[in-house]
Structures are given as C-alpha cells and as structure tokens.
Amino acid sequence: MDFGVVLQNDPPAARVVELARQAELLGFTHVWTFDSHLLWQEPYVVYSQILANTRKVMVGPMVTNPATRDWTVTASLFATLNEMFGNRTICGIGRGDSAVRVINGKPVTLADLRESISVIRALANGQQASYKGNLLQFPWSEGSALPIWVAAYGPKALALAGEVADGFILQLADPDITAWSIAAVRKAAADAGRDPSSVTICVAAPAYVTDRSDAGLAHGRDQCRWFGGMVGNHVADIVARYGTDGAAVPQALSDYIAGRKDYDYNQHGKAGNTHADFVPDDVIDRFCLIGPVEHQVARLQELEGLGVDQFALYLQHDAKAETLAAYGDKVLPAVNVRKAAKA
C-alpha cells in the first residue's frame, strides 16, 4: 500500500514544504494539498518548492475543481511542473466545494467535470484538446504524463470515476462505505470496457495516533471531528438528490447529517470547527483512523484487503509531526512488511 499525506497551504509555506520533505523521508510516496485559493495559499506555487526539495514524491491537489480555474491554465500548470521536475505531479479533481462555495459559486455538473478531465488530460499529456470551439495544444510540452484521480461519493460521480479516471479518491475510511464505493467504481469501469483493476483506489482520511487512554481517544476524536463536517457538505448534496432511504446511497453515509445546520467555511478543515459539533463519535471512529498504532494497522490492512491502493493521511490537527513520525516508524513498516534477505 502506498501512503500519502494531505496538507493545508497555511502560511508559512516553508512549513508545508518541510512537512512534505519529512513525509518523503519517512516513506510517504504522495504529498497532496487542499486547493482553496481564498482560504489558503496558492498550491501550485508551493508545489514547485515541494518538488524542488524532494526527490521522488508525487505532488498534487486533493482536490482541484473545474470552476475556479480555467481548464487550460490547470493543464499548463501541471505540464510545466512535469517539465521542470520529471512527471511527479498528479491531479485530484472533483465538482468543487470550499474553493467554489466561498465565492458563492456552485459545484459544476458531472458533464462539465467529465469534459474538463478530457481537456486537462489531453493538454497536460502533450495532446490536442477541443476547447470552446478551438483545437488546442501546448507547442512547448513534450513527454508530460499526468494521472487524473476523481473524488466522488454519489452513484453518478462514482460511475464517472470508473468510466474515465486513472484513480478514485474516497474521502473517508469507513470499510463498509469503502467496499460499496469500490464496487460501484469497478462495475462502471467494466461496463465501459475498461480493466477495473486499472483504476487506482485511494482512501483519504485523518489519522491520529493515541495512547490507550480514554482521554487520549476523546482528544483525538475532537481534533478530527472537523472531517465529518467537511464530508457532510458533500453528503448533503447527495441526500438532496437521492434521499436517505438507502436505495441509492448507504445509510451509513447519509444518516449522520440529520443534525447538520449551517456551515462556516472560515472554519473549514480546522480542528475545533464549531459547525462540526453535529458529528457523533461513532462516525468519527468510522470515517477516521484514531487510536493506538495496532488499531491503525488493523484498519489499514482491512482497507487494503478491500482493494485500497493508497491511504492518504489528512494532517489537520495538533500532532502533525508526531503522527508523521508514528506512521513512518511504526505504521508503514507494519503494513508494508519488508522481504527477508534470506529465505
């Protein structure tokens, strides 16, 4: 299993770069960041510094969207970074949440998302793309290769991921919802004539390594409760479309937002978010990885058994360095056991 880390572009940018550098030294293969240009600093500027200060990690947004950036600009950013640093970028993309809603916009339609993926992929990979009635390409780009992974929750978005994406991002770590989501993506891939195993599966969620005390567990839950609020923004859209009867979406995903009220994006992705108080402890336990090392390893092994190829660790809490170190020193070696030198 690959391991990624998801960072916020909170100033100082130098700290984000240093966390990325430490993550690579500890065995992480991917460094992701939020992409909300008003809430945090511009990610692509930071990516150039992360890439310059690391050797191998793949870098990209979790996730960008087709609404706040022109598609040709997004493709140009990736192609330029690939020319500079040797195809070490990856594009996570979805319909849009914080970056769009903060400026009173709306998530794009799935049709627009599908078209944007086609345009960004073609241009960033040195090919021609049809855009606004023009046939375009980058005359300066050769050899760029950009994987595009789609973040999705609802049935139609999951189908889109299976039909066109190189990878699928599920932003929660509940095993039952993970199994349902992977099955939907793989079925869509097969129905589209693709090899279902060709779609890389990424589960992204906060992890907080605790001692074995009740107080430690309670603190870890409170530090990660914001995540249930963030996921709830997407779930609210799904519930409005599909309802909560479990026919189209598992009730394990939809039921918990019954107590959800307003959401303040000024507190988005922050520990202590008061608009996430509606999220109960059992949802935090299902959606996140909170507990001692052995608990984390057991959940990761369960996810790997379901077909998860990468776990991307959200690092928005008060134990960033400690969590990275615990994963690098204890969790990663337990999940990815090294081969013996002598049989």
Side-chain angles (χ1 to χ4, degrees):
M1 178 184 281
D2 283 338
F3 285 85
V5 61
V6 187
L7 306 173
Q8 280 177 351
N9 292 301
D10 236 2
R15 188 186 186 203
V16 180
V17 175
E18 179 59 21
L19 285 169
R21 194 182 71 84
Q22 290 295 326
E24 180 180 60
L25 293 175
L26 290 166
F28 288 78
T29 60
H30 290 68
V31 174
W32 306 88
T33 77
F34 286 59
D35 178 9
S36 287
H37 57 289
L38 284 173
L39 297 178
W40 303 291
Q41 292 179 318
E42 170 56 38
Y44 291 91
V45 177
V46 180
Y47 294 160
S48 68
Q49 290 301 303
I50 292 175
L51 289 163
N53 284 273
T54 55
R55 298 173 301 144
K56 295 181 179 180
V57 288
M58 299 288 289
V59 176
M62 187 177 284
V63 295
T64 192
N65 70 85
T68 56
R69 298 181 190 276
D70 183 90
W71 306 347
T72 63
V73 173
T74 298
S76 182
L77 288 165
F78 282 113
T80 300
L81 290 172
N82 280 343
E83 189 279 325
M84 293 173 67
F85 299 104
N87 288 339
R88 290 173 53 202
T89 66
I90 185 168
C91 178
I93 193 168
R95 294 177 58 222
D97 181 31
S98 59
V100 178
R101 298 185 199 266
V102 167
I103 58 175
N104 291 329
K106 294 181 179 180
V108 303
T109 65
L110 288 175
D112 282 344
L113 177 58
R114 182 187 297 269
E115 185 181 359
S116 75
I117 292 169
S118 176
V119 170
I120 293 168
R121 172 184 281 138
L123 292 176
N125 290 339
Q127 301 165 4
Q128 291 183 331
S130 177
Y131 182 65
K132 295 185 177 180
N134 298 299
L135 194 60
L136 307 173
Q137 68 181 78
F138 298 142
W140 46 265
S141 177
E142 291 185 9
S144 175
L146 177 70
I148 297 182
W149 293 10
V150 171
Y153 292 105
K156 292 183 178 179
L158 292 170
L160 185 150
E163 290 163 2
V164 304
D166 300 301
F168 159 58
I169 298 170
L170 177 64
Q171 290 166 302
L172 55 81
D174 177 278
D176 291 339
I177 298 172
T178 298
W180 174 81
S181 301
I182 291 174
V185 169
R186 287 180 171 166
K187 180 182 184 303
D191 290 346
R194 305 179 67 196
D195 177 0
S197 65
S198 68
V199 183
T200 303
I201 307 295
C202 174
V203 160
Y208 197 104
V209 179
T210 71
D211 56 20
R212 293 170 180 78
S213 69
D214 291 341
L217 177 60
H219 180 74
R221 284 169 172 162
D222 286 341
Q223 286 292 303
C224 298
R225 199 173 304 276
W226 65 268
F227 183 71
M230 184 189 81
V231 174
N233 297 329
H234 301 283
V235 174
D237 290 341
I238 295 170
V239 166
R241 178 180 294 270
Y242 296 104
T244 59
D245 61 5
V249 177
Q251 290 181 302
L253 177 61
S254 61
D255 280 358
Y256 85 98
I257 67 163
R260 180 181 181 270
K261 298 179 181 178
D262 295 331
Y263 187 85
D264 182 3
Y265 277 94
N266 288 313
Q267 301 182 54
H268 188 63
K270 294 181 179 180
N273 184 335
T274 58
H275 290 255
D277 289 346
F278 71 93
V279 183
D281 287 350
D282 70 292
V283 168
I284 299 304
D285 292 344
R286 289 193 292 110
F287 284 15
C288 307
L289 274 66
I290 303 173
V293 166
E294 58 269 24
H295 170 82
Q296 309 253 345
V297 171
R299 174 72 69 83
L300 290 164
Q301 290 173 334
E302 183 178 10
L303 292 171
E304 186 176 31
L306 294 173
V308 174
D309 300 298
Q310 179 183 150
F311 176 70
L313 187 166
Y314 277 91
L315 206 62
Q316 286 69 54
H317 50 58
D318 63 359
K320 294 178 178 64
E322 295 85 351
T323 301
L324 276 181
Y327 261 68
D329 293 340
K330 298 177 181 178
V331 176
L332 270 67
V335 174
N336 297 326
V337 179
R338 294 179 64 181
K339 297 177 181 179
K342 184 176 181 180

